[in-house]
Amino acid sequence: MELCSCDTFVALPPATVGNRIIFGKNSDRLCDEVQEVVYFPAAVHDNLGERLKCTYIEIDQVPETHAVVLSRPAWLWGAEMGANEHGVCIGNEAVWGRVEVCNEEALLGMDLVRLGLERADTAEKALDVIVDLLEKYGQGGNCTEGEMLFSYHNSFLIADRQEAWVLETAGKYWAAEKVQDGVRNISNQLSITTKIDREHPDMRNYAKQKGWWDGKKEFDFAAAYSYLDTAKMMTSSGRYCEGYKLLNKHKGSITFETMMEILRDKPSGINMEGEFLTTASMASVLPQDSNLPCIHFFTATPDPERSIFKPFIFVPHISQLLDTSSPTFELEDPVKKKQHFKIKPDRRHPLYQKHQQAFEVLDNNKGKAKSMLDNMRKMEKGLFKEMESILQNKHLDVDKIVNLFPQCAKDEIRIYMSNISSQ
């Protein structure tokens, strides 16, 4: 199942520079799936009798939800990754194990990502939100819009300005590990072993009943609930191991640019190519100093090596992210029907379209392609310098920040258009 997953990373002091927490994630999905970057403001929900429509099912609404920025497959309600106004970031991974995956429609792991971000102002509270919803509604349903039926359980990496949590699930059972320093990553396998800081109350009993644990030796969540030999986990050639090596290679000097280099790494398989590829990427810098803003970078396009990481900062009255928002099909959205996989509408947003067109044109012209990539890197380096200045000088021009991400998307489109028109 290694082809069907993603990678999520976190680095905390002293592994990072400048007393910051750095979060990163690649979303590896089917190669023709469009991922959009969208913003939803904070909201008050007075009519609590009204149900919240997630991807497949409806659940109870809460009185208030936080502002969120999400990178998500454009056909569904939830998100692969995202952040909220309080500096909480979440990414999820597909995992499989001994507990059978349920194809019945319930909450997708991606729904749980968005719900955690909308309803929690710290990483641990987001964990609480997710496990409570998991207990109440369960997880399940097809995770693709196409004809392929694809379901899985989920693991989550949740970070805020102070700490991170790894939450891994097997059906309704779960274990969580607190991360307070150093580096941690998750991929497409259960990775929590004997360091378990919180857990489902019946998780050990269930493993014992099924004969997965003898009740005597030290409990190992990954060993019990998956088929892994956890002693070999860090010596295999899989992406989990490769990601861990890359984090450790830079330990002590990790910046948001380092995280982006890891997300762009092709030899390790972290930047995927093929039927499943890296369809979108995210990197966030979360300063432990609450006077400084958190900055979240998104590509909104496939292959981070051929994309620009564009910054987003939460401020009031943010402009809508029109160039990275996909067309909606509200009246006849196929996902709302049981047979949603029969039809696949064109969900490409403006940035995705121009990115695709430019590289289609330039794939046969290596000189032009290099020139365009050089212009993209130049734009990106300028943005990085600007964001570092904000983090160093604590000065935020709010009037400019409300349009920061939309303006970056427009500037990126201009680079693509100039190369398309010059052919």
Side-chain angles (χ1 to χ4, degrees):
M1 288 296 185
E2 172 124 327
L3 290 175
C4 312
S5 189
C6 318
D7 293 275
T8 310
F9 305 89
V10 71
L12 302 88
T16 60
V17 174
N19 211 31
R20 303 166 184 172
I21 291 179
I22 309 293
F23 174 92
K25 173 170 160 69
N26 273 353
S27 173
D28 302 331
R29 306 277 301 170
L30 281 165
C31 60
D32 61 347
E33 184 180 76
V34 177
Q35 199 150 147
E36 61 179 351
V37 174
V38 288
Y39 165 76
F40 295 100
V44 173
H45 307 281
D46 294 323
N47 183 8
L48 291 181
E50 193 173 328
R51 304 273 282 169
L52 173 65
K53 294 177 182 177
C54 299
T55 302
Y56 294 122
I57 66 167
E58 295 184 358
I59 67 170
D60 293 333
Q61 184 56 283
V62 291
E64 294 182 16
T65 49
H66 306 305
V68 296
V69 60
L70 308 172
S71 186
R72 67 176 186 180
W75 62 272
L76 52 70
W77 181 85
E80 273 278 292
M81 51 203 174
N84 72 19
E85 61 186 307
H86 301 288
V88 180
C89 298
I90 310 179
N92 84 309
E93 311 288 332
V95 290
W96 296 265
R98 288 187 162 121
V99 176
E100 190 177 347
V101 173
C102 173
N103 289 321
E104 287 297 309
E105 292 182 349
L107 288 173
L108 294 179
M110 292 174 279
D111 294 337
L112 291 166
V113 168
R114 178 172 174 179
L115 290 162
L117 292 170
E118 286 190 342
R119 299 181 177 197
D121 59 4
T122 69
E124 188 168 10
K125 285 181 188 173
L127 186 153
D128 292 334
V129 166
I130 291 171
V131 298
D132 288 349
L133 290 166
L134 191 62
E135 184 70 29
K136 189 169 184 180
Y137 299 103
Q139 59 180 322
N142 191 14
C143 299
T144 69
E145 186 183 23
E147 293 184 9
M148 180 174 137
L149 289 171
F150 182 41
S151 300
Y152 46 77
H153 294 147
N154 292 269
S155 67
F156 305 87
L157 203 160
I158 312 167
D160 62 23
R161 292 177 182 266
Q162 302 302 322
E163 63 189 25
W165 285 84
V166 175
L167 168 63
E168 298 189 334
T169 71
K172 71 174 185 175
Y173 301 103
W174 57 271
E177 174 190 333
K178 188 175 185 177
V179 187
Q180 290 177 283
D181 57 42
V183 296
R184 185 68 161 87
N185 64 305
I186 58 173
S187 192
N188 63 304
Q189 61 189 60
L190 297 179
S191 63
I192 294 175
T193 57
T194 56
K195 185 185 182 303
I196 301 171
D197 296 298
R198 293 184 53 185
E199 64 191 73
H200 186 283
D202 200 34
M203 182 264 288
R204 293 179 195 236
N205 283 338
Y206 185 73
K208 195 173 175 183
Q209 286 167 20
K210 299 294 283 186
W212 303 336
W213 176 54
D214 62 9
K216 296 173 187 172
K217 65 183 177 188
E218 186 177 20
F219 186 80
D220 180 323
F221 179 71
Y225 276 85
S226 70
Y227 302 99
L228 289 173
D229 178 346
T230 56
K232 295 179 181 174
M233 202 157 63
M234 294 315 302
T235 58
S236 73
S237 60
R239 286 202 325 279
Y240 172 73
C241 183
E242 293 301 311
Y244 184 77
K245 285 180 191 170
L246 285 168
L247 282 173
N248 275 279
K249 177 183 171 185
H250 300 286
K251 208 169 178 178
S253 59
I254 295 173
T255 64
F256 61 82
E257 291 184 70
T258 314
M259 185 62 75
M260 292 167 191
E261 286 172 27
I262 292 171
L263 297 176
R264 284 172 163 151
D265 193 85
K266 288 194 172 172
S268 64
I270 286 164
N271 183 5
M272 286 191 75
E273 297 179 283
E275 185 186 358
F276 275 75
L277 60 73
T278 299
T279 54
S281 304
M282 169 187 176
S284 294
V285 52
L286 315 174
Q288 294 194 311
D289 180 352
S290 59
N291 293 312
L292 296 172
C294 296
I295 304 177
H296 312 284
F297 298 85
F298 296 92
T299 61
T301 50
D303 187 353
E305 184 63 28
R306 304 173 99 183
S307 298
I308 295 174
F309 279 94
K310 298 166 286 296
F312 177 99
I313 299 173
F314 284 94
V315 290
H317 314 300
I318 285 170
S319 300
Q320 279 304 311
L321 316 185
L322 299 177
D323 286 319
T324 57
S325 296
S326 294
T328 54
F329 301 86
E330 289 298 331
L331 294 177
E332 286 210 45
D333 197 329
V335 78
K336 304 304 178 194
K337 303 174 183 175
K338 277 281 185 187
Q339 299 300 314
H340 66 274
F341 52 83
K342 297 284 187 189
I343 309 165
K344 215 168 180 182
D346 183 356
R347 298 189 184 275
R348 293 175 303 159
H349 50 72
L351 178 65
Y352 188 104
Q353 287 182 6
K354 297 306 176 193
H355 177 271
Q356 195 176 44
Q357 286 170 19
F359 279 104
E360 280 173 1
V361 167
L362 298 181
D363 272 341
N364 297 320
N365 188 331
K366 288 188 178 178
K368 270 280 190 184
K370 185 183 182 304
S371 173
M372 185 172 80
L373 282 166
D374 288 345
N375 287 333
M376 291 166 68
R377 288 292 163 270
K378 186 178 176 184
M379 174 184 159
E380 192 180 65
K381 286 290 181 190
L383 290 168
F384 292 169
K385 190 175 178 183
E386 200 179 326
M387 294 307 105
E388 189 57 47
S389 175
I390 289 172
L391 292 169
Q392 296 286 348
N393 303 327
K394 305 186 181 182
H395 174 68
L396 207 61
D397 182 347
V398 174
D399 291 337
K400 187 176 179 183
I401 297 302
V402 294
N403 287 306
L404 177 62
F405 189 88
Q407 186 58 53
C408 291
K410 288 190 185 306
D411 291 343
E412 185 178 355
I413 286 172
R414 268 195 283 276
I415 291 174
Y416 299 142
M417 290 295 289
S418 66
N419 283 275
I420 295 166
S421 61
S422 67
Q423 290 300 303

